[in-house]
Amino acid sequence: MNLLPKTHEEFATVDYWNTFFKKRGEKAFEWYGEYLELCEQIHKYIRPNDKILMVGCGNSKLSMDMYDSGFKDITNIDISAVAIKKMQEANARTRSDMKFIQMDATSMSFDNEQFSVALDKGTLDALFVDDTEGTQKTVEAYFKEIARVLRNGGRYVCISLLQEHILKYIIEYFPKNAFMLRIVHCPDADAANQEKNLENPDAVSMPVFTIVATKFKSLPMPILEFSYTSDKVQRCKSALDLQNSVKSLQTAAVVCNGLGRTDVVGHNDVSIDLCRPGENVARYTVHIVDQPPARGLGKYAVFLVPQGREVEWLFATSKGRRKLLEQSKFQRMAVVTLHREQSYLSMDEVKAELSDSVKSFAPVGLKDQIPYLSIGADMGTRTTLFKGKSDISGDFVVEEVEGSDGKTFRRLIFMSNQAVVQSEALIKKGKGKNQDNIDFGYLACQHHAYMSLGVQLIAESQEQMIKILVIGLGGGGLCMFLHEAVGNIDITAVDIDPAMANVAEKYFGLQQDERLHVVIEDGLQFLNYCRKEGHKYDAILFDVDSKDLTLGMSCPPPSFMANDVLLNLKSLLNESGLFILNLVCRDDTLRDQTIGDLKTIFPSVCSYKLDEDVNEIIYCTNNEKFKKLSVWKKCLGSSGRKLNDLTKKKKLCKDEVLDVTEFLSELKI
């Protein structure tokens, strides 16, 4: 019997939980833990001298174990006469003063305020089987009886798996009826259940919780608390906060169950954010990747990504992480990235924090010690130089990180999309009194190299000054590279966000002069202005991202690909001019539509898909001679080699700008 969801999107759905609870059937009591696994919560919230009512005792040994541990005043009730008779017979000699009474918990015959504790192990879950009106009335009658028989200050202590509709109901019901509500996670019960289930490949272990509802005559305001571990209680600001705290544990548990018994080969990675108890800000993100088992592969390892390197292709993309896994020689790997705004003292501290969590992501039955892999011996460094907020781009940071070979990189990051580097510069460290400088020859983005190739094609075909329009400034890295690498160029860069221009000048070395000027304007409006004024350009570059991350095309925004905009571009280009587009599109249908639209406007359209990124560089021209791929290859091949030679002579770029042979072989028309 398979209780696992087919996909991780089903983990938190009502239907999944309903199916789960129906299938567990008569073995329900096994999911809640025994006395030794629950004793931490029992001893914290129940005193030996409390007058205890055990509601729905069934055949559970919990009350017997509690009695033997010093809790002597226990009254057990259950609706089943068979269960009560068996429990009376089993305890008649050794626990003669412990009471067992057949009684309906929704209509008890006890006096008002007779007990100081009502203890419920799974009874609420058994009663609250669905969310129908009839079931809710039964549960309401049950809670009213619990409130009636409890003294003021008494506690309803309930062990539950907190199915979604149960969780919502208790969060609303208890505060409304003057109960302080605390929900406590029971990790010992979880661990015991996982251990038991090792022998059963179809079993699923779900988190166990203790509901502690304390009765008061009245409360001036709702008091809601959550305890992830026994030593730390978090006061929740709202019912939604409490609900989310519980659901995050439940979702993670199902993920871990699924990972223990299946793999993610051929699927997208499973990614989980990890927070410290009581905090809502992610401290780590864990990506789980698998490859098919093979001889010589280790079972499982953890790879810790140094700070600042989480944006690199190898760690930031699913394809890159799978490449990393292949190189590591392990069947499964947890790739862990560290977050901004967090402090990490040492590699040992990180390992200690992650220890329990990464064990949860291991294949089922793993007994081997889990190796930790990384680059270097420390967690890297990240220094925030500036935090800003733009009305257009939102929150952003400028930071410096230490990369490979001791190089220092300065980056612009939009906080709405932290996995993407908007701009990056290589810092040339000055000596003595000399200040650090920006290396304008460094191209951080592979797609900028291939956009530069198109500009070089235009530049080498003309002796006079060529006019280039760049829509999308960012930190100005592409513009400054072209300014330094190509002598006969006049660049106009347009960006809608004035904050970006300020950041580019202050932190990324952007320098305006007679060959480079920046215009703060909406790119589409500026194109309209240029058409009305009769301006012409030898090349127009689109390198502008969309602020809407839900779209299948994140660069450029869809409005930039409208038919009237493309016609506008066509009219602005000289006869041999070139439109160069940085296209980032994860939707194949939308991508094909975009290419089709371009082909209806421009006589010649050519594309190159980058290997290590989702970017695709599109070259469009009005020149009829470029209708054949052979012409593109000849011209771009020549300009690519010249650009390489030029940048090497000037010591520009990090290593090699272009792999011309590979580029030409992958070129498509």
Side-chain angles (χ1 to χ4, degrees):
M1 179 170 59
N2 183 12
L3 303 183
L4 293 174
K6 295 178 182 177
T7 63
H8 66 271
E9 285 83 1
E10 297 178 32
F11 290 163
T13 64
V14 174
D15 287 343
Y16 173 76
W17 278 93
N18 287 341
T19 302
F20 172 81
F21 272 81
K22 287 176 182 176
K23 286 186 177 181
R24 62 188 174 87
E26 295 179 357
K27 296 184 178 180
F29 70 92
E30 295 179 357
W31 294 90
Y32 297 85
E34 306 299 331
Y35 170 73
L36 289 177
E37 298 144 11
L38 299 170
C39 64
E40 182 177 1
Q41 284 73 36
I42 289 173
H43 283 268
K44 184 170 184 177
Y45 297 107
I46 306 175
R47 298 182 294 269
N49 61 349
D50 273 324
K51 190 173 181 63
I52 303 166
L53 171 64
M54 178 72 74
V55 187
C57 62
N59 60 357
S60 171
K61 292 178 58 183
L62 181 59
S63 64
M64 293 183 277
D65 291 334
M66 289 177 62
Y67 183 93
D68 295 342
S69 299
F71 298 89
K72 300 302 182 183
D73 194 346
I74 304 177
T75 299
N76 299 270
I77 67 169
D78 198 279
I79 198 169
S80 169
V82 175
I84 290 297
K85 184 177 180 181
K86 286 184 177 180
M87 294 298 280
Q88 288 172 340
E89 292 171 352
N91 293 278
R93 296 182 59 186
T94 56
R95 306 175 187 89
S96 58
D97 53 345
M98 188 160 63
K99 304 177 186 67
F100 290 90
I101 305 171
Q102 180 189 359
M103 190 179 297
D104 183 350
T106 65
S107 180
M108 294 186 277
S109 58
F110 299 119
D111 294 337
N112 293 346
E113 301 186 356
Q114 186 170 335
F115 299 96
S116 54
V117 170
L119 179 56
D120 170 343
K121 181 190 172 189
T123 298
L124 175 62
D125 291 3
L127 288 173
F128 216 154
V129 291
D130 55 45
D131 202 21
T132 62
E133 183 178 353
T135 300
Q136 287 195 23
K137 287 182 178 180
T138 299
V139 173
E140 184 177 7
Y142 172 53
F143 282 164
K144 283 183 177 179
E145 282 294 273
I146 292 293
R148 183 183 65 79
V149 302
L150 277 180
R151 300 167 184 169
N152 189 43
R155 297 167 301 286
Y156 171 60
V157 180
C158 173
I159 313 300
S160 171
L161 297 184
L162 286 180
Q163 193 177 357
E164 184 175 14
H165 64 275
I166 297 177
L167 176 62
K168 288 182 178 178
Y169 189 88
I170 67 166
I171 288 178
E172 179 182 357
Y173 181 87
F174 284 116
K176 186 172 63 177
N177 289 276
F179 278 79
M180 170 184 166
L181 178 62
R182 177 181 295 178
I183 296 178
V184 183
H185 177 225
C186 305
D188 291 341
D190 291 357
N193 286 339
Q194 291 168 8
E195 187 69 24
K196 294 173 187 175
N197 289 336
L198 291 179
E199 300 175 0
N200 182 3
D202 291 325
V204 179
S205 299
M206 295 306 299
V208 179
F209 299 93
T210 300
I211 303 166
V212 184
T214 306
K215 176 183 174 182
F216 291 93
K217 290 182 178 179
S218 64
L219 285 174
M221 59 182 292
I223 300 178
L224 303 170
E225 296 178 335
F226 180 74
S227 178
Y228 178 72
T229 57
S230 59
D231 59 343
K232 188 168 185 179
V233 177
Q234 167 193 350
R235 179 66 60 87
C236 299
K237 296 179 181 178
S238 67
L240 183 61
D241 285 347
L242 179 55
Q243 183 175 322
N244 288 340
S245 295
V246 173
K247 290 180 70 174
S248 65
L249 272 177
Q250 293 170 332
T251 302
V254 182
V255 172
C256 294
N257 275 286
L259 289 172
R261 292 158 176 80
T262 60
D263 56 53
V264 290
V265 176
H267 303 283
N268 292 328
D269 304 351
V270 172
S271 300
I272 302 173
D273 287 336
L274 300 178
C275 306
R276 280 175 168 167
E279 297 181 0
N280 294 321
V281 179
R283 183 161 171 80
Y284 303 97
T285 295
V286 183
H287 305 277
I288 308 298
V289 286
D290 282 332
Q291 62 179 325
R295 179 176 294 182
L297 289 182
K299 275 199 170 184
Y300 179 53
V302 178
F303 190 97
L304 301 177
V305 181
Q307 294 183 89
R309 305 201 57 177
E310 69 281 347
V311 295
E312 296 177 14
W313 174 83
L314 195 63
F315 312 121
T317 67
S318 179
K319 188 176 180 180
R321 290 189 290 267
R322 293 191 180 280
K323 184 71 173 178
L324 178 66
L325 176 66
E326 293 170 8
Q327 296 172 350
S328 71
K329 304 297 183 184
F330 282 91
Q331 181 180 336
R332 170 172 295 177
M333 179 177 285
V335 182
V336 182
T337 59
L338 287 63
H339 280 245
R340 293 175 180 82
E341 308 300 322
Q342 298 279 356
S343 175
Y344 306 93
L345 298 179
S346 67
M347 182 82 79
D348 289 339
E349 180 208 39
V350 170
K351 290 179 181 179
E353 277 194 322
L354 288 170
S355 176
D356 289 338
S357 296
V358 296
K359 287 178 185 176
S360 301
F361 307 134
V364 67
L366 181 72
K367 299 294 184 182
D368 302 335
Q369 184 175 355
I370 300 173
Y372 284 79
L373 313 176
S374 190
I375 302 173
D378 57 43
M379 295 314 304
T381 58
R382 189 200 315 266
T383 304
T384 300
L385 301 181
F386 179 71
K387 293 181 181 180
K389 185 169 185 177
S390 160
D391 292 338
I392 297 171
S393 303
D395 293 327
F396 63 87
V397 297
V398 178
E399 63 185 24
E400 283 190 357
V401 299
E402 185 177 324
S404 58
D405 302 325
K407 294 180 179 178
T408 300
F409 299 94
R410 185 171 296 170
R411 292 173 177 165
L412 170 64
I413 306 288
F414 292 162
M415 301 307 287
S416 60
N417 193 9
Q418 297 186 41
V420 175
V421 176
Q422 296 298 321
S423 295
E424 181 179 86
L426 174 63
I427 304 300
K428 296 189 295 186
K429 292 294 182 180
K431 296 182 180 180
K433 295 182 179 180
N434 295 330
Q435 295 182 345
D436 296 342
N437 295 312
I438 302 296
D439 184 349
F440 295 125
Y442 170 78
L443 278 178
C445 305
Q446 192 185 27
H447 71 272
H448 279 169
Y450 292 100
M451 296 183 83
S452 300
L453 171 59
V455 175
Q456 174 64 17
L457 169 63
I458 299 297
E460 71 176 25
S461 66
Q462 301 184 36
E463 294 183 0
Q464 71 271 22
M465 190 73 71
I466 62 171
K467 293 184 64 177
I468 304 297
L469 176 61
V470 179
I471 306 296
L473 175 66
L478 174 61
C479 292
M480 288 304 299
F481 172 80
L482 292 173
H483 181 274
E484 293 292 312
V486 184
N488 60 325
I489 192 170
D490 180 356
I491 305 171
T492 299
V494 181
D495 202 292
I496 194 173
D497 193 345
M500 293 303 102
N502 293 333
V503 165
E505 290 182 344
K506 186 171 182 179
Y507 294 100
F508 292 88
L510 179 70
Q511 302 167 16
Q512 298 190 56
D513 58 19
E514 67 279 0
R515 293 197 300 119
L516 171 59
H517 25 279
V518 175
V519 176
I520 303 302
E521 178 66 271
D522 179 283
L524 298 181
Q525 293 182 11
F526 187 78
L527 291 175
N528 288 330
Y529 164 80
C530 292
R531 177 178 55 80
K532 292 177 182 178
E533 294 295 318
H535 292 297
K536 291 286 185 177
Y537 293 95
D538 297 290
I540 299 175
L541 284 63
F542 273 12
D543 188 29
V544 55
D545 66 324
S546 172
K547 303 305 179 186
D548 187 348
L549 302 180
T550 64
L551 300 175
M553 185 165 70
S554 56
C555 188
S559 58
F560 279 70
M561 290 290 98
N563 190 68
D564 60 331
V565 176
L566 298 181
L567 289 171
N568 208 356
L569 290 170
K570 181 180 176 70
S571 68
L572 291 174
L573 287 172
N574 289 323
E575 182 179 353
S576 297
L578 191 62
F579 169 49
I580 306 172
L581 169 66
N582 173 30
L583 178 66
V584 180
C585 189
R586 294 171 174 81
D587 184 324
D588 290 340
T589 301
L590 188 56
R591 182 262 177 198
D592 293 343
Q593 178 185 329
T594 300
I595 298 298
D597 292 343
L598 289 169
K599 287 182 176 180
T600 62
I601 302 298
F602 294 97
S604 181
V605 177
C606 198
S607 70
Y608 175 70
K609 180 72 174 66
L610 275 63
D611 287 336
E612 294 191 356
D613 289 301
V614 293
N615 305 66
E616 185 174 6
I617 303 304
I618 315 294
Y619 305 98
C620 306
T621 180
N622 294 326
N623 197 325
E624 294 280 349
K625 78 172 185 177
F626 282 97
K627 281 189 174 182
K628 294 183 178 180
L629 185 58
S630 58
V631 178
W632 277 106
K633 288 186 175 182
K634 180 179 179 181
C635 294
L636 288 170
S638 172
S639 60
R641 284 184 284 272
K642 288 185 179 181
L643 185 60
N644 260 342
D645 293 340
L646 177 64
T647 54
K648 285 178 181 178
K649 287 176 183 177
K650 290 192 174 185
K651 297 182 180 180
L652 299 173
C653 303
K654 45 186 176 182
D655 293 306
E656 186 175 354
V657 178
L658 304 168
D659 184 334
V660 178
T661 303
E662 180 182 349
F663 163 70
L664 294 177
S665 66
E666 296 293 331
L667 206 61
K668 296 179 181 179
I669 198 166

